[in-house]
């Protein structure tokens, strides 16, 4: 064999060219590997909101439904990858299901939401913030940040970082409720002493994870402002009563009502669909992503504001978050009042009798002046 032939053939022997069957099998393997998560993502985006709370199926749905926009984007990318690997029809079908599913999510959200009304008569500026029990920021810095906000009413949850600061807070706010005992959940700070406020225990845990604020309006109506921190919707056996407590507050409010809180669910979730549709509550048209705080605008909106009865939102902006030691971004918002937008309370907006008995709720329609608390008893014969 000549030297020229040896030099030409030696590299070919050491580095053989990959044959077509090997390439085909690798493509097939990767298509199969991408197919399962892509299929699950497409199905979740399109229908998770309607999955029943069955074992295994329910928790998966409740954990994934709030991330529908993020899952839709991921599914589209996986579908395009499957197309590039030769699965053109299957990849295109998954991509189409994800896009149409997300379009359905957006459509349903628009139907049960309301846009901002900056021209409405201003009522009060509110700050809602989940502080995180293990917040590492010095308490003094947190108090200074809260005091520097423009809010007239500050509603906090997981307010443990302020447990030792009540005396300092009382020097700056007329009303300070919460964190006086062993547990520290919802805390209410009010600048105007004319505004009434109280804490309400949640039946599921017996802790003050709800607060109610009353604000008198010029036309004689009373605005009910409710703060709530709900358990995660997949905590079956406990979370249902939290949801019914929100319904209870909405059903017993004869005038305008605003409910703000950490719902641990997005506006397009089963939890919000059931609550909003039952009592005619409207969510924000463009909700602020609040969790995780580090994700900023790419996060999931699980801290929400619901309105009804002429109460509207004039503006909503994110507040605090990662820079203040929390894993949530807060909501700074202005409530407006437009009586022309008040609607009658839906007939189905009530807590079922069985749940009333279990939760110790009154049996008659409620009067906020005496029955806002879960402990209120029916005085009718």
């Amino acid at each position: 064999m000549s030297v020229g032939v040896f030099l030409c053939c030696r590299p070919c022997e050491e580095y053989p060219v990959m044959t077509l069957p090997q390439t085909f099998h690798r493509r097939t393997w990767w298509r199969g590997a991408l197919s399962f998560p892509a299929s699950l993502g497409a199905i979740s985006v399109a229908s998770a909101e309607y999955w029943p709370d069955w074992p295994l199926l329910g928790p998966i749905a409740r954990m994934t439904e709030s991330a529908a926009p993020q899952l839709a984007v991921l599914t589209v990318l996986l579908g395009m990858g499957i197309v590039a690997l030769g699965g053109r029809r299957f990849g295109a079908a998954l991509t189409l299901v994800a896009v149409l599913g997300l379009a359905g999510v957006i459509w349903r959200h628009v139907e049960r939401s309301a846009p901002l009304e900056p021209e409405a008569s201003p009522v009060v500026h509110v700050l809602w913030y989940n502080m995180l029990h293990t917040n590492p920021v010095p308490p003094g810095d947190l108090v200074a940040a809260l005091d520097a906000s423009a809010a007239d009413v500050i509603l906090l949850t997981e307010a443990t970082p302020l447990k030792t600061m009540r005396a300092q807070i009382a020097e700056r706010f007329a009303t300070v409720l919460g964190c006086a005992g062993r547990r520290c959940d919802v805390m209410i700070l009010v600048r105007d002493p004319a505004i009434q406020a109280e804490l309400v225990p949640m039946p599921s845990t017996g802790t003050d994870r709800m607060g109610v604020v009353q604000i008198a309006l010029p036309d004689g109506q009373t605005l009910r402002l409710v703060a709530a921190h709900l358990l995660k919707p997949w905590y079956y056996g406990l979370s249902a009563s939290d949801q019914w407590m929100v319904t209870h507050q909405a059903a017993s409010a004869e005038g305008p009502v605003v409910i703000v809180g950490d719902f641990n669910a997005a506006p397009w979730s089963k939890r919000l669909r059931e609550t909003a549709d039952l009592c005619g509550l409207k969510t924000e048209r463009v909700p602020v992503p609040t969790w995780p705080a580090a994700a900023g605008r790419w996060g999931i909106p699980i801290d929400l504001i619901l309105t009804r009865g002429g109460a509207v939102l004039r503006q909503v902006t994110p507040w605090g978050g990662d820079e203040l030691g929390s894993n949530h971004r807060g909501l700074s918002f202005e409530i407006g009042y437009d009586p022309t937008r008040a609607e009658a309370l839906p007939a189905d907006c009530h807590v079922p009798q069985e749940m009333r008995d279990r939760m110790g709720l009154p049996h008659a329609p409620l009067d906020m002046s005496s029955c806002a608390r879960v402990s209120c008893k029916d005085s009718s014969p």
Side-chain angles (χ1 to χ4, degrees):
M1 180 182 296
S2 66
V3 175
V5 174
F6 176 81
L7 292 176
C8 177
C9 297
R10 183 58 182 269
C12 297
E13 295 173 356
E14 292 183 353
Y15 307 104
V17 178
M18 184 178 290
T19 61
L20 182 60
Q22 289 175 308
T23 304
F24 175 79
H25 289 312
R26 287 180 181 273
R27 286 174 172 267
T28 302
W29 188 91
W30 277 108
R31 285 204 306 269
L34 297 180
S35 293
F36 177 74
S39 300
L40 182 60
I43 295 172
S44 297
V45 171
S47 62
E49 176 186 347
Y50 299 99
W51 293 5
D53 291 322
W54 293 344
L56 184 60
L57 184 66
I60 292 176
R62 304 293 78 83
M63 291 179 186
T64 59
E65 61 188 354
S66 293
Q70 291 84 350
L71 281 177
V73 173
L74 178 60
T75 301
V76 168
L77 293 176
L78 292 176
M80 293 173 62
I82 293 173
V83 170
L85 291 170
R88 297 178 180 176
R89 293 183 180 178
F90 185 62
L94 291 179
T95 300
L96 181 62
V97 170
V99 171
L100 293 179
L102 181 59
V105 169
I106 295 172
W107 177 267
R108 293 189 294 271
H109 169 66
V110 170
E111 286 187 323
R112 65 173 71 108
S113 64
L116 297 178
E117 299 286 349
E119 303 301 324
S121 300
V123 176
V124 66
H125 193 147
V126 181
L127 173 63
W128 161 264
Y129 192 40
N130 184 328
M131 302 196 74
L132 183 64
H133 284 305
T134 57
N135 193 312
V137 174
D141 293 349
L142 295 174
V143 173
L146 294 172
D147 187 38
S149 73
D152 306 301
V153 176
I154 298 178
L155 306 170
L156 307 171
T157 191
E158 295 196 26
T160 301
L162 302 184
K163 190 175 178 64
T164 61
M165 302 295 292
R166 281 179 55 88
Q168 292 86 335
I169 295 173
E171 296 175 357
R172 312 183 189 200
F173 295 88
T175 301
V176 179
L177 295 179
C179 297
R182 184 177 62 87
R183 285 284 302 180
C184 192
D185 291 293
V186 166
M187 194 173 193
I188 302 176
L189 313 179
V190 182
R191 299 186 193 271
D192 185 354
I195 296 178
Q196 302 178 33
E198 63 178 337
L199 297 175
V200 179
M202 287 286 207
S204 57
T205 59
T207 55
D208 294 334
R209 287 185 291 108
M210 177 174 280
V212 180
V213 177
Q214 297 184 90
I215 302 173
L217 300 177
D219 65 352
Q221 292 273 20
T222 298
L223 170 71
R224 180 182 300 189
L225 172 61
V226 180
H229 186 183
L230 281 66
L231 297 177
K232 293 175 176 58
W234 54 89
Y235 286 6
Y236 298 123
L238 293 174
S239 63
S241 63
D242 284 9
Q243 187 171 326
W244 285 121
M245 278 296 293
V246 173
T247 300
H248 167 70
Q249 293 294 335
S252 59
E254 297 181 357
V257 60
V258 176
I259 302 175
V260 60
D262 180 358
F263 285 82
N264 276 301
W268 40 83
S269 64
K270 179 175 180 286
R271 165 177 277 182
L272 268 296
R273 172 173 56 85
E274 293 174 345
T275 302
D277 291 354
L278 186 65
C279 290
L281 297 165
K282 296 293 185 180
T283 63
E284 311 133 82
R285 177 63 51 83
V286 183
V288 175
T290 59
W291 181 91
R297 67 179 62 185
W298 309 112
I300 302 173
I302 64 174
D303 296 84
L304 306 170
I305 310 167
L306 312 180
T307 58
R308 197 199 67 211
V312 297
L313 296 176
R314 301 181 74 244
Q315 69 171 14
V316 184
T317 56
W319 188 90
D322 198 38
E323 65 271 21
L324 284 178
S326 178
N327 60 344
H328 285 244
R329 294 204 295 175
L331 299 172
S332 177
F333 59 98
E334 289 187 18
I335 298 175
Y337 179 52
D338 183 357
T340 63
R341 295 189 175 275
E343 298 178 356
L345 183 69
D348 293 334
C349 181
H350 64 273
V351 180
Q353 190 60 55
E354 179 183 357
M355 287 301 301
R356 284 182 173 274
D357 294 340
R358 290 171 54 186
M359 296 165 61
L361 297 179
H363 297 274
L366 302 183
D367 177 7
M368 177 60 187
S369 62
S370 60
C371 292
R373 296 183 60 84
V374 65
S375 58
C376 173
K377 300 301 180 182
D378 180 19
S379 59
S380 63

